[in-house]
Amino acid sequence: MAALPRFTCVGSVDDPVYHRAASLLNGVVKALSAQQAAGESKDAEEEKEGSALELTALLEPEWEVYLVQAQQELGGAAFAHETSPLVTMDGAYVGGFAEAKALVKDRFPDLVLPAPKSDKELEDAAKKALLAKMQNSGNVFCYMDFKVGDSKSKRVLLELFNSVCPKTCENFAAICAGSGKLKYKGSLIHRVVP
């Protein structure tokens, strides 16, 4: 019996497209496992499912670091990859969601997959996953809205590591919230150092 292909899907936890790709690949692995499961125990099927798909949802800074590392490791077409998610099959670069979907259609044309989730379901899943990741981190989060010229403002989420410097985090969060005399609202940013 042929081994199941090994998929990895890594992306930004708050990206609905990552969740769309994860859902697609989860459906593929389950359908392939079901095809191979004839005559095998349920434990063997579950073991195959767990080993055939690796999903990794990252916060945006973690995603950016991962992307650079993956581009260097995978090389070739992966160097041009810029958006979440990044999908591989058996260690080889596939691309994003569109490329993964095309690969599934090409390699497994007769595979019966569950109906895709709606955009609303995927957006909700992304929000829930982000909240769960934030709650599980044990850190405090705050945000700032940045606006350049007449463009729409962009919200930046900041993770504060209270266990490292609690007083600094407390002060920073208070200034972000605008409580007290000090506040960032209306401040000009002249330089950003990554």
Side-chain angles (χ1 to χ4, degrees):
M1 203 177 289
L4 293 174
R6 176 149 179 73
F7 291 101
T8 62
C9 180
V10 181
S12 184
V13 68
D14 62 342
D15 179 15
V17 180
Y18 162 75
H19 292 276
R20 184 177 302 282
S23 179
L24 169 72
L25 296 175
N26 192 38
V28 168
V29 170
K30 284 184 177 182
L32 290 172
S33 294
Q35 284 181 351
Q36 287 192 344
E40 294 182 11
S41 71
K42 187 174 182 186
D43 291 338
E45 182 179 335
E46 288 174 0
E47 184 179 306
K48 283 183 181 180
E49 284 184 35
S51 63
L53 177 61
E54 182 181 338
L55 301 174
T56 308
L58 304 170
L59 291 173
E60 189 174 345
E62 298 167 325
W63 159 250
E64 290 172 1
V65 169
Y66 169 81
L67 181 59
V68 170
Q69 291 171 343
Q71 288 169 332
Q72 292 171 352
E73 289 174 15
L74 296 169
F79 277 113
H81 194 100
E82 295 180 351
T83 60
S84 168
L86 188 145
V87 177
T88 65
M89 185 177 87
D90 295 329
Y93 175 73
V94 172
F97 169 72
E99 294 82 6
K101 184 177 176 182
L103 177 130
V104 168
K105 188 176 180 181
D106 182 53
R107 290 276 309 267
F108 313 107
D110 299 327
L111 202 60
V112 177
L113 297 172
K117 294 182 178 180
S118 71
D119 289 345
K120 174 81 170 106
E121 289 174 306
L122 294 166
E123 288 170 12
D124 289 346
K127 287 177 186 175
K128 286 179 185 175
L130 175 61
L131 286 174
K133 191 148 182 95
M134 289 168 54
Q135 289 170 344
N136 293 336
S137 76
N139 293 322
V140 172
F141 289 80
C142 59
Y143 67 88
M144 289 185 180
D145 292 324
F146 289 92
K147 184 174 170 110
V148 178
D150 293 333
S151 66
K152 186 178 177 184
S153 64
K154 167 88 173 167
R155 180 159 289 177
V156 176
L157 185 64
L158 304 158
E159 182 175 12
L160 307 180
F161 294 84
N162 288 8
S163 61
V164 177
C165 47
K167 189 63 177 169
T168 302
C169 291
E170 181 183 334
N171 291 340
F172 184 79
I175 296 171
C176 285
S179 56
K181 295 177 185 177
L182 296 175
K183 56 185 152 223
Y184 288 116
K185 186 174 183 175
S187 297
L188 298 176
I189 305 293
H190 70 281
R191 184 173 139 194
V192 176
V193 180

